[in-house]
PDB file of all heavy atoms in Angstrom:
ATOM      1  N   CYS A   1       4.796  18.095  -3.462  1.00 90.00           N
ATOM      2  CA  CYS A   1       5.544  18.955  -2.544  1.00 90.00           C
ATOM      3  C   CYS A   1       5.408  20.382  -3.037  1.00 90.00           C
ATOM      4  O   CYS A   1       5.841  20.693  -4.170  1.00 90.00           O
ATOM      5  CB  CYS A   1       7.006  18.524  -2.495  1.00 90.00           C
ATOM      6  SG  CYS A   1       8.036  19.578  -1.453  1.00 90.00           S
ATOM      7  N   ASN A   2       4.768  21.219  -2.246  1.00 87.00           N
ATOM      8  CA  ASN A   2       4.508  22.613  -2.628  1.00 87.00           C
ATOM      9  C   ASN A   2       3.748  22.697  -3.947  1.00 87.00           C
ATOM     10  O   ASN A   2       4.026  23.555  -4.792  1.00 87.00           O
ATOM     11  CB  ASN A   2       5.814  23.401  -2.714  1.00 87.00           C
ATOM     12  CG  ASN A   2       6.532  23.470  -1.385  1.00 87.00           C
ATOM     13  OD1 ASN A   2       5.891  23.501  -0.321  1.00 87.00           O
ATOM     14  ND2 ASN A   2       7.853  23.487  -1.419  1.00 87.00           N
ATOM     15  N   GLY A   3       2.812  21.764  -4.145  1.00 85.00           N
ATOM     16  CA  GLY A   3       1.985  21.771  -5.332  1.00 85.00           C
ATOM     17  C   GLY A   3       2.604  21.127  -6.551  1.00 85.00           C
ATOM     18  O   GLY A   3       1.972  21.067  -7.609  1.00 85.00           O
ATOM     19  N   VAL A   4       3.841  20.621  -6.438  1.00 89.00           N
ATOM     20  CA  VAL A   4       4.532  19.991  -7.566  1.00 89.00           C
ATOM     21  C   VAL A   4       4.436  18.481  -7.408  1.00 89.00           C
ATOM     22  O   VAL A   4       4.795  17.927  -6.352  1.00 89.00           O
ATOM     23  CB  VAL A   4       5.999  20.438  -7.641  1.00 89.00           C
ATOM     24  CG1 VAL A   4       6.709  19.755  -8.801  1.00 89.00           C
ATOM     25  CG2 VAL A   4       6.086  21.958  -7.758  1.00 89.00           C
ATOM     26  N   ALA A   5       3.949  17.789  -8.455  1.00 89.00           N
ATOM     27  CA  ALA A   5       3.845  16.335  -8.424  1.00 89.00           C
ATOM     28  C   ALA A   5       5.216  15.714  -8.608  1.00 89.00           C
ATOM     29  O   ALA A   5       5.988  16.123  -9.487  1.00 89.00           O
ATOM     30  CB  ALA A   5       2.890  15.852  -9.505  1.00 89.00           C
ATOM     31  N   LEU A   6       5.545  14.724  -7.781  1.00 90.00           N
ATOM     32  CA  LEU A   6       6.852  14.073  -7.812  1.00 90.00           C
ATOM     33  C   LEU A   6       6.723  12.684  -8.427  1.00 90.00           C
ATOM     34  O   LEU A   6       5.844  11.898  -8.036  1.00 90.00           O
ATOM     35  CB  LEU A   6       7.416  13.947  -6.393  1.00 90.00           C
ATOM     36  CG  LEU A   6       7.573  15.266  -5.622  1.00 90.00           C
ATOM     37  CD1 LEU A   6       8.011  14.987  -4.197  1.00 90.00           C
ATOM     38  CD2 LEU A   6       8.589  16.165  -6.319  1.00 90.00           C
ATOM     39  N   PRO A   7       7.562  12.313  -9.377  1.00 91.00           N
ATOM     40  CA  PRO A   7       7.528  10.951  -9.926  1.00 91.00           C
ATOM     41  C   PRO A   7       8.063   9.953  -8.900  1.00 91.00           C
ATOM     42  O   PRO A   7       8.935  10.277  -8.089  1.00 91.00           O
ATOM     43  CB  PRO A   7       8.427  11.046 -11.157  1.00 91.00           C
ATOM     44  CG  PRO A   7       9.343  12.182 -10.871  1.00 91.00           C
ATOM     45  CD  PRO A   7       8.560  13.170 -10.047  1.00 91.00           C
ATOM     46  N   TYR A   8       7.534   8.716  -8.950  1.00 90.00           N
ATOM     47  CA  TYR A   8       7.927   7.703  -7.960  1.00 90.00           C
ATOM     48  C   TYR A   8       7.700   6.318  -8.540  1.00 90.00           C
ATOM     49  O   TYR A   8       7.041   6.138  -9.567  1.00 90.00           O
ATOM     50  CB  TYR A   8       7.101   7.867  -6.677  1.00 90.00           C
ATOM     51  CG  TYR A   8       5.624   7.606  -6.867  1.00 90.00           C
ATOM     52  CD1 TYR A   8       5.095   6.329  -6.653  1.00 90.00           C
ATOM     53  CD2 TYR A   8       4.770   8.620  -7.273  1.00 90.00           C
ATOM     54  CE1 TYR A   8       3.751   6.082  -6.847  1.00 90.00           C
ATOM     55  CE2 TYR A   8       3.420   8.377  -7.455  1.00 90.00           C
ATOM     56  CZ  TYR A   8       2.914   7.109  -7.237  1.00 90.00           C
ATOM     57  OH  TYR A   8       1.587   6.858  -7.432  1.00 90.00           O
ATOM     58  N   LEU A   9       8.256   5.328  -7.867  1.00 88.00           N
ATOM     59  CA  LEU A   9       8.031   3.918  -8.161  1.00 88.00           C
ATOM     60  C   LEU A   9       7.417   3.272  -6.929  1.00 88.00           C
ATOM     61  O   LEU A   9       7.779   3.602  -5.790  1.00 88.00           O
ATOM     62  CB  LEU A   9       9.345   3.216  -8.520  1.00 88.00           C
ATOM     63  CG  LEU A   9      10.063   3.719  -9.780  1.00 88.00           C
ATOM     64  CD1 LEU A   9      11.404   2.994  -9.937  1.00 88.00           C
ATOM     65  CD2 LEU A   9       9.199   3.508 -11.013  1.00 88.00           C
ATOM     66  N   ALA A  10       6.480   2.331  -7.144  1.00 85.00           N
ATOM     67  CA  ALA A  10       5.770   1.682  -6.043  1.00 85.00           C
ATOM     68  C   ALA A  10       6.167   0.225  -5.957  1.00 85.00           C
ATOM     69  O   ALA A  10       6.287  -0.468  -6.979  1.00 85.00           O
ATOM     70  CB  ALA A  10       4.254   1.808  -6.238  1.00 85.00           C
ATOM     71  N   PHE A  11       6.411  -0.255  -4.729  1.00 79.00           N
ATOM     72  CA  PHE A  11       6.734  -1.656  -4.466  1.00 79.00           C
ATOM     73  C   PHE A  11       5.818  -2.164  -3.365  1.00 79.00           C
ATOM     74  O   PHE A  11       5.665  -1.523  -2.317  1.00 79.00           O
ATOM     75  CB  PHE A  11       8.197  -1.804  -4.036  1.00 79.00           C
ATOM     76  CG  PHE A  11       9.185  -1.354  -5.063  1.00 79.00           C
ATOM     77  CD1 PHE A  11       9.643  -0.039  -5.074  1.00 79.00           C
ATOM     78  CD2 PHE A  11       9.640  -2.225  -6.038  1.00 79.00           C
ATOM     79  CE1 PHE A  11      10.548   0.391  -6.021  1.00 79.00           C
ATOM     80  CE2 PHE A  11      10.545  -1.797  -6.993  1.00 79.00           C
ATOM     81  CZ  PHE A  11      11.000  -0.495  -6.988  1.00 79.00           C
ATOM     82  N   ASP A  12       5.222  -3.344  -3.602  1.00 68.00           N
ATOM     83  CA  ASP A  12       4.365  -3.948  -2.591  1.00 68.00           C
ATOM     84  C   ASP A  12       5.236  -4.599  -1.526  1.00 68.00           C
ATOM     85  O   ASP A  12       6.121  -5.396  -1.826  1.00 68.00           O
ATOM     86  CB  ASP A  12       3.449  -5.016  -3.205  1.00 68.00           C
ATOM     87  CG  ASP A  12       2.333  -4.386  -4.023  1.00 68.00           C
ATOM     88  OD1 ASP A  12       2.061  -3.201  -3.795  1.00 68.00           O
ATOM     89  OD2 ASP A  12       1.750  -5.089  -4.864  1.00 68.00           O
ATOM     90  N   LYS A  13       4.951  -4.289  -0.267  1.00 56.00           N
ATOM     91  CA  LYS A  13       5.618  -4.979   0.832  1.00 56.00           C
ATOM     92  C   LYS A  13       5.061  -6.379   1.029  1.00 56.00           C
ATOM     93  O   LYS A  13       5.747  -7.280   1.479  1.00 56.00           O
ATOM     94  CB  LYS A  13       5.452  -4.186   2.139  1.00 56.00           C
ATOM     95  CG  LYS A  13       6.183  -2.867   2.186  1.00 56.00           C
ATOM     96  CD  LYS A  13       5.979  -2.230   3.544  1.00 56.00           C
ATOM     97  CE  LYS A  13       6.704  -0.901   3.652  1.00 56.00           C
ATOM     98  NZ  LYS A  13       6.477  -0.276   4.984  1.00 56.00           N
ATOM     99  N   ASP A  14       3.798  -6.539   0.743  1.00 51.00           N
ATOM    100  CA  ASP A  14       3.122  -7.807   0.984  1.00 51.00           C
ATOM    101  C   ASP A  14       2.405  -8.218  -0.281  1.00 51.00           C
ATOM    102  O   ASP A  14       1.539  -7.495  -0.768  1.00 51.00           O
ATOM    103  CB  ASP A  14       2.111  -7.649   2.134  1.00 51.00           C
ATOM    104  CG  ASP A  14       1.720  -8.978   2.737  1.00 51.00           C
ATOM    105  OD1 ASP A  14       2.170 -10.004   2.206  1.00 51.00           O
ATOM    106  OD2 ASP A  14       0.987  -8.978   3.730  1.00 51.00           O
ATOM    107  N   GLN A  15       2.730  -9.373  -0.823  1.00 47.00           N
ATOM    108  CA  GLN A  15       2.173  -9.804  -2.093  1.00 47.00           C
ATOM    109  C   GLN A  15       0.941 -10.686  -1.933  1.00 47.00           C
ATOM    110  O   GLN A  15       0.453 -11.242  -2.887  1.00 47.00           O
ATOM    111  CB  GLN A  15       3.246 -10.577  -2.877  1.00 47.00           C
ATOM    112  CG  GLN A  15       4.473  -9.754  -3.197  1.00 47.00           C
ATOM    113  CD  GLN A  15       4.187  -8.664  -4.211  1.00 47.00           C
ATOM    114  OE1 GLN A  15       3.202  -8.732  -4.933  1.00 47.00           O
ATOM    115  NE2 GLN A  15       5.039  -7.649  -4.260  1.00 47.00           N
ATOM    116  N   ARG A  16       0.459 -10.859  -0.729  1.00 49.00           N
ATOM    117  CA  ARG A  16      -0.701 -11.712  -0.526  1.00 49.00           C
ATOM    118  C   ARG A  16      -1.693 -11.019   0.401  1.00 49.00           C
ATOM    119  O   ARG A  16      -1.386 -10.019   1.038  1.00 49.00           O
ATOM    120  CB  ARG A  16      -0.288 -13.053   0.086  1.00 49.00           C
ATOM    121  CG  ARG A  16       0.305 -12.925   1.487  1.00 49.00           C
ATOM    122  CD  ARG A  16       0.714 -14.283   2.024  1.00 49.00           C
ATOM    123  NE  ARG A  16       1.280 -14.164   3.359  1.00 49.00           N
ATOM    124  CZ  ARG A  16       0.573 -14.185   4.477  1.00 49.00           C
ATOM    125  NH1 ARG A  16      -0.739 -14.294   4.412  1.00 49.00           N
ATOM    126  NH2 ARG A  16       1.154 -14.083   5.647  1.00 49.00           N
ATOM    127  N   VAL A  17      -2.921 -11.606   0.487  1.00 48.00           N
ATOM    128  CA  VAL A  17      -3.949 -11.087   1.396  1.00 48.00           C
ATOM    129  C   VAL A  17      -3.657 -11.598   2.795  1.00 48.00           C
ATOM    130  O   VAL A  17      -3.533 -12.805   3.005  1.00 48.00           O
ATOM    131  CB  VAL A  17      -5.349 -11.549   0.941  1.00 48.00           C
ATOM    132  CG1 VAL A  17      -6.400 -11.051   1.908  1.00 48.00           C
ATOM    133  CG2 VAL A  17      -5.643 -11.039  -0.453  1.00 48.00           C
ATOM    134  N   THR A  18      -3.524 -10.714   3.753  1.00 55.00           N
ATOM    135  CA  THR A  18      -3.160 -11.123   5.098  1.00 55.00           C
ATOM    136  C   THR A  18      -4.375 -11.628   5.852  1.00 55.00           C
ATOM    137  O   THR A  18      -5.502 -11.161   5.664  1.00 55.00           O
ATOM    138  CB  THR A  18      -2.564  -9.933   5.874  1.00 55.00           C
ATOM    139  OG1 THR A  18      -3.528  -8.876   5.902  1.00 55.00           O
ATOM    140  CG2 THR A  18      -1.296  -9.453   5.209  1.00 55.00           C
ATOM    141  N   HIS A  19      -4.134 -12.589   6.733  1.00 59.00           N
ATOM    142  CA  HIS A  19      -5.187 -13.075   7.609  1.00 59.00           C
ATOM    143  C   HIS A  19      -5.420 -12.072   8.736  1.00 59.00           C
ATOM    144  O   HIS A  19      -4.604 -11.208   9.007  1.00 59.00           O
ATOM    145  CB  HIS A  19      -4.807 -14.433   8.198  1.00 59.00           C
ATOM    146  CG  HIS A  19      -4.746 -15.526   7.174  1.00 59.00           C
ATOM    147  ND1 HIS A  19      -5.875 -16.089   6.630  1.00 59.00           N
ATOM    148  CD2 HIS A  19      -3.697 -16.150   6.595  1.00 59.00           C
ATOM    149  CE1 HIS A  19      -5.530 -17.016   5.761  1.00 59.00           C
ATOM    150  NE2 HIS A  19      -4.201 -17.069   5.714  1.00 59.00           N
ATOM    151  N   THR A  20      -6.543 -12.222   9.410  1.00 62.00           N
ATOM    152  CA  THR A  20      -6.946 -11.376  10.553  1.00 62.00           C
ATOM    153  C   THR A  20      -6.966  -9.904  10.185  1.00 62.00           C
ATOM    154  O   THR A  20      -6.680  -9.049  11.016  1.00 62.00           O
ATOM    155  CB  THR A  20      -6.021 -11.592  11.767  1.00 62.00           C
ATOM    156  OG1 THR A  20      -4.705 -11.107  11.466  1.00 62.00           O
ATOM    157  CG2 THR A  20      -5.961 -13.057  12.148  1.00 62.00           C
ATOM    158  N   ALA A  21      -7.277  -9.598   8.924  1.00 66.00           N
ATOM    159  CA  ALA A  21      -7.391  -8.192   8.535  1.00 66.00           C
ATOM    160  C   ALA A  21      -8.618  -7.578   9.182  1.00 66.00           C
ATOM    161  O   ALA A  21      -9.664  -8.217   9.310  1.00 66.00           O
ATOM    162  CB  ALA A  21      -7.481  -8.075   7.021  1.00 66.00           C
ATOM    163  N   ILE A  22      -8.528  -6.342   9.623  1.00 67.00           N
ATOM    164  CA  ILE A  22      -9.651  -5.653  10.260  1.00 67.00           C
ATOM    165  C   ILE A  22     -10.571  -5.124   9.167  1.00 67.00           C
ATOM    166  O   ILE A  22     -10.164  -4.335   8.315  1.00 67.00           O
ATOM    167  CB  ILE A  22      -9.157  -4.501  11.153  1.00 67.00           C
ATOM    168  CG1 ILE A  22      -8.265  -5.062  12.272  1.00 67.00           C
ATOM    169  CG2 ILE A  22     -10.316  -3.729  11.731  1.00 67.00           C
ATOM    170  CD1 ILE A  22      -7.646  -3.996  13.136  1.00 67.00           C
ATOM    171  N   VAL A  23     -11.819  -5.565   9.183  1.00 69.00           N
ATOM    172  CA  VAL A  23     -12.800  -5.190   8.166  1.00 69.00           C
ATOM    173  C   VAL A  23     -14.008  -4.591   8.861  1.00 69.00           C
ATOM    174  O   VAL A  23     -14.579  -5.198   9.769  1.00 69.00           O
ATOM    175  CB  VAL A  23     -13.231  -6.405   7.312  1.00 69.00           C
ATOM    176  CG1 VAL A  23     -14.257  -5.989   6.274  1.00 69.00           C
ATOM    177  CG2 VAL A  23     -12.015  -7.026   6.631  1.00 69.00           C
ATOM    178  N   ASP A  24     -14.383  -3.394   8.461  1.00 68.00           N
ATOM    179  CA  ASP A  24     -15.571  -2.753   9.015  1.00 68.00           C
ATOM    180  C   ASP A  24     -16.821  -3.542   8.644  1.00 68.00           C
ATOM    181  O   ASP A  24     -16.901  -4.164   7.586  1.00 68.00           O
ATOM    182  CB  ASP A  24     -15.671  -1.323   8.483  1.00 68.00           C
ATOM    183  CG  ASP A  24     -16.800  -0.558   9.148  1.00 68.00           C
ATOM    184  OD1 ASP A  24     -16.596  -0.043  10.245  1.00 68.00           O
ATOM    185  OD2 ASP A  24     -17.889  -0.503   8.561  1.00 68.00           O
ATOM    186  N   ASN A  25     -17.821  -3.521   9.519  1.00 68.00           N
ATOM    187  CA  ASN A  25     -19.046  -4.296   9.308  1.00 68.00           C
ATOM    188  C   ASN A  25     -19.725  -3.938   7.995  1.00 68.00           C
ATOM    189  O   ASN A  25     -20.240  -4.806   7.287  1.00 68.00           O
ATOM    190  CB  ASN A  25     -20.008  -4.071  10.487  1.00 68.00           C
ATOM    191  CG  ASN A  25     -21.314  -4.809  10.298  1.00 68.00           C
ATOM    192  OD1 ASN A  25     -21.323  -5.984   9.967  1.00 68.00           O
ATOM    193  ND2 ASN A  25     -22.415  -4.109  10.497  1.00 68.00           N
TER     194      ASN A  25
END
């Protein structure tokens, strides 16, 4: 924000590989 790095914590919403994922050729 305005060039200042902000500390954060990350949480996965989905812990698995989803089916029907869109994958480019």
Side-chain angles (χ1 to χ4, degrees):
C1 177
N2 298 327
V4 179
L6 302 175
Y8 65 92
L9 297 176
F11 299 91
D12 286 340
K13 292 182 180 179
D14 199 356
Q15 299 291 340
R16 64 181 180 88
V17 178
T18 58
H19 293 285
T20 67
I22 299 176
V23 180
D24 186 82
N25 178 48

